[in-house]
Amino acid sequence: MDLQLIGKNALVVASSQGLGKAIAEQLAEEGANVMVVGRHEDKLKKVAEELEASGTGKVAYCPCDITKSADIKQLVAKTVEAFGGIDILINNAGGPPAGTFEDMDDEDWQQAFELNLLSYIRLIRASLPYLKQSHGRIVNIASSSIKEPISGLILSNTFRTGIVGLAKTLVTELAPDRILINTVAPGRIATDRIKHLDKVNSEKNDTPLEEWEEQMKSSIPLGRYGEPAEFAKVVTFLVSGANTFVTGTSLLVDGGMVKSI
Ligand SMILES: NC(=O)c1ccc[n+]([C@@H]2O[C@H](COP(=O)([O-])OP(=O)(O)OC[C@H]3O[C@@H](n4cnc5c(N)ncnc54)[C@H](OP(=O)(O)O)[C@@H]3O)[C@@H](O)[C@H]2O)c1
């Protein structure tokens, strides 16, 4: 299958590590030009060097705090300046803090809204003129909580479902410009975020970390956590030229973990 990614311009948000980095790597390997994004210039520089070594396209990076509107405008402008346009937008962000309803005050809710939903809205808005020109592709990274809430992650559970509502509505609004938009939902993919959540939950449940991890893995029919590269391959297909008819889908990448139909 020809993914038709050579020379395509990809803006991959929150790509200094974890899932975003794996997506940036996969797109670079397929010949796309990739903009790498995060808050820390030193981390971004290192990732950009790695991508340059493995891909054939151009690689650029831009320090950006996606909770800031001005940063997002500058990021999109820099991407267009570096590559001449945008064909692919990957919306991604850090995870919000773990906790229950009674742990969270207005400030926590506001911060999670800005990080995990408003940033996606602003990035789509700022990229839209270029995505219209390219008949582009958008993938929003969410969480398996779009299908089944996860205990102790009230902020995530609330805002990830908003991502799906946004995407499902945009399917129709963006279709006349032949822009495809999909949501990809990780279950448990082995990144620092999952390490952090396992540590928090093992302490909260007074269970040794290794035992907790085994319990988590045993709840996944495939019996293990996913690898970031496995997740990235699914995203890469959805944003590629090989995908011409999948839009509005919410796709789980979870080794069968979520049981809901
Ligand atoms: N891994 C999983 O299995 C899983 C499951 C469900 C949901 N998710 C969600 O999927 C997303 C990615 O997960 P991950 O596992 O890759 O997380 P991760 O390893 O913690 O990576 C998060 C990324 O977000 C960036 N970031 C955080 N805050 C930012 C900000 N304000 N502005 C710009 N960049 C920011 C971080 O870069 P800097 O720190 O350098 O800024 C980093 O590149 C998260 O929202 C996570 O909650 C993941």
Side-chain angles (χ1 to χ4, degrees), residues 19 22 36 38 67 82 96 115 123 128 161 176 179 220 249 254 257:
L19 302 181
V36 187
T67 62
L115 180 64
L123 276 149
L128 201 50
T161 47
I179 298 171
I220 301 171
T249 286
D254 71 342
M257 182 180 82

Side-chain angles (χ1 to χ4, degrees), residues 14 42 85 87 89 105 110 137 145 150 154 158 164 204 247 253:
D42 48 342
D87 301 285
L89 170 64
D105 59 19
Q110 185 66 34
R137 305 277 188 274
S145 63
I150 303 168
I154 183 111
T158 304
V164 180
K204 206 170 158 191
T247 188
V253 182

Side-chain angles (χ1 to χ4, degrees), residues 154-204:
I154 183 111
L155 296 174
S156 173
N157 294 341
T158 304
F159 292 113
R160 312 294 191 182
T161 47
I163 294 172
V164 180
L166 173 71
K168 277 294 201 188
T169 311
L170 285 178
V171 167
T172 309
E173 295 188 17
L174 303 185
D177 291 298
R178 287 188 281 136
I179 298 171
L180 309 185
I181 178 166
N182 290 289
T183 305
V184 183
R188 295 195 136 250
I189 313 293
T191 66
D192 287 357
R193 166 77 174 168
I194 291 298
K195 269 190 211 147
H196 166 74
L197 290 177
D198 279 347
K199 189 165 175 290
V200 168
N201 286 320
S202 71
E203 284 164 8
K204 206 170 158 191

Side-chain angles (χ1 to χ4, degrees), residues 86-88 131-132 134-138 177-180:
I86 301 175
D87 301 285
I88 295 164
L131 292 166
K132 282 184 180 181
S134 62
H135 310 303
R137 305 277 188 274
I138 303 168
D177 291 298
R178 287 188 281 136
I179 298 171
L180 309 185

Side-chain angles (χ1 to χ4, degrees), residues 112-127:
F113 166 62
E114 289 177 10
L115 180 64
N116 295 108
L117 186 56
L118 187 58
S119 71
Y120 286 35
I121 294 165
R122 284 173 167 161
L123 276 149
I124 293 170
R125 187 192 290 132
S127 306

